[in-house]
Amino acid sequence: MKLWGGRFRKEENKLMEEFNKSFDYDKILYKKDIEGSLAHVYMQVKCNLLTEQEGKAITDGLIGICEDIEDGNLLLEGNYEDIHSFVEINLIERIGEVGKKLHTARSRNDQVATDMRLFAKESALEILTLVTNFKNTLKCVADKNSIMMPGYTHLQRAQVVTFKHHLMAYYSMFDRDEKRLSNALEILDESPLGCGALAGTTHNIDREITKEKLGFSRVVENYIDGVSDRDYLLELMSNFSIIMMHLSRLSEELILWSSQEFKFVELDDLYSTGSSIMPQKKNPDGAELIRGKTGRVYGSLFGLFTTMKGLPLAYNKDMQEDKEGFFDSVNTVKMCISIMDKMISTLKINKENMKKAVKHGFLNATEVADYLVDNNVAFRDAHSIVGNIVIYCEDNNKNIEDLSLEELLNFSPVFKEDIYDFIDYENILKKGSKKNLL
Ligand code: ARG
């Protein structure tokens, strides 16, 4: 069943028909499509393109279709080209000839652009809420765990930090994600309905009316742009990709931290899985899957970038390829944030092992240099002195704080008894700008 065919002498080839279809995946737009049509028919009546009676028949028909889909009385199945054809053909079957007037002053090009914007807006708002909730979870867990842990650079133990500060680094990342999503939402909040195929219409329509009905802030400025713009999908998928990159980095840390080598955390049984052969295994599959799924979100972004890059204005059928990747990205990001939220809120934190790890690896070496600087040694000289102390410690299998004052004095005459307090890890965290780590 098709919405077109009048100018064709031959039936479409079956393979071509299959190839052309998007119904299998764009059916999830049904609500948005009906919402868009309801706004359109409302405007048609206001602008005297339809009588009140015709408008009512179409409106009731559209509402009926929506209810029947929702109640399971009308299945989103059958040989339809796309969701727009499904709704319109069903409308005509349901209310008869008057249903054929719905498409006056509209094209599927502005129709699909409207559906996708509405869907994108709703999805981005849902993801925004998930990000906000996840930020709260991070803050909650961080606030309860102001405990010492090694901070790393190059994945080598570097300086003492707190688990709180480490988690709050992710809070900052998701805070930016929240801002990026809000910004993208603000930019995309324009109604393309009324652009027509690409050049408006000879009918006296009122785009402000449909804009208001659909809850958009503005109408798009340019008709040609309105039907050919997919920037908002690219922008959202860029934001989703950055969110996934952040989730993936956190996943990587959870995977490392839950290994026998680190033993800093334990993932709750609810979010781990076992091995079919090795009975002792508890695997961090949740975190690994998030890390893995990051690839498909990046892939969808680059898929659409590539689809769009050579397209002349205005609408081209290539643009139908915007859907599957976007829908998949939305589902993937939602699922991944939700799982990560649960993994973090149920995480068991092994405080003792984190503290123990701080004691090995000379994480107070920089503070020994700071001590020398406080005693009038130039930083570059202090750096070299401490380097020599570290070699000595390695050779003798000791930590810096285990050296006697006598041993320390071999490296510099300025060391005094107060060095031990100065380089004590708990004390380090109370000094200078490090207070923010607590
Ligand atoms: N299924 C199409 C899409 O997703 C709808 C728009 C069709 N427009 C057209 N001129 N054939 O892009």
Side-chain angles (χ1 to χ4, degrees), residues 117-129:
R117 276 213 205 220
L118 289 170
F119 184 87
K121 199 172 150 180
E122 184 178 89
S123 305
L125 280 168
E126 284 165 7
I127 291 173
L128 192 60
T129 305

Side-chain angles (χ1 to χ4, degrees), residues 198-227:
L198 79 162
T201 166
T202 54
H203 300 293
N204 281 321
I205 59 167
D206 187 341
R207 292 197 294 146
E208 288 295 323
I209 294 178
T210 42
K211 174 213 92 178
E212 282 296 319
K213 271 264 160 206
L214 293 172
F216 285 113
S217 301
R218 307 170 295 277
V219 296
V220 299
E221 185 76 28
N222 181 288
Y223 300 150
I224 295 177
D225 181 50
V227 290

Side-chain angles (χ1 to χ4, degrees), residues 131 134 138 169-178 180 238-253 290-291 294 298 340:
V131 172
F134 182 47
L138 281 170
Y170 286 98
Y171 181 95
S172 295
M173 297 179 216
F174 290 104
D175 194 51
R176 290 193 295 276
D177 289 329
E178 214 178 24
R180 268 187 284 269
S238 304
N239 294 348
F240 297 165
S241 295
I242 298 176
I243 292 174
M244 289 303 296
M245 182 265 288
H246 291 155
L247 290 173
S248 184
R249 291 183 78 174
L250 182 52
S251 296
E252 171 65 15
E253 303 220 87
I290 293 174
R291 192 177 57 183
T294 303
Y298 291 2
M340 182 57 91

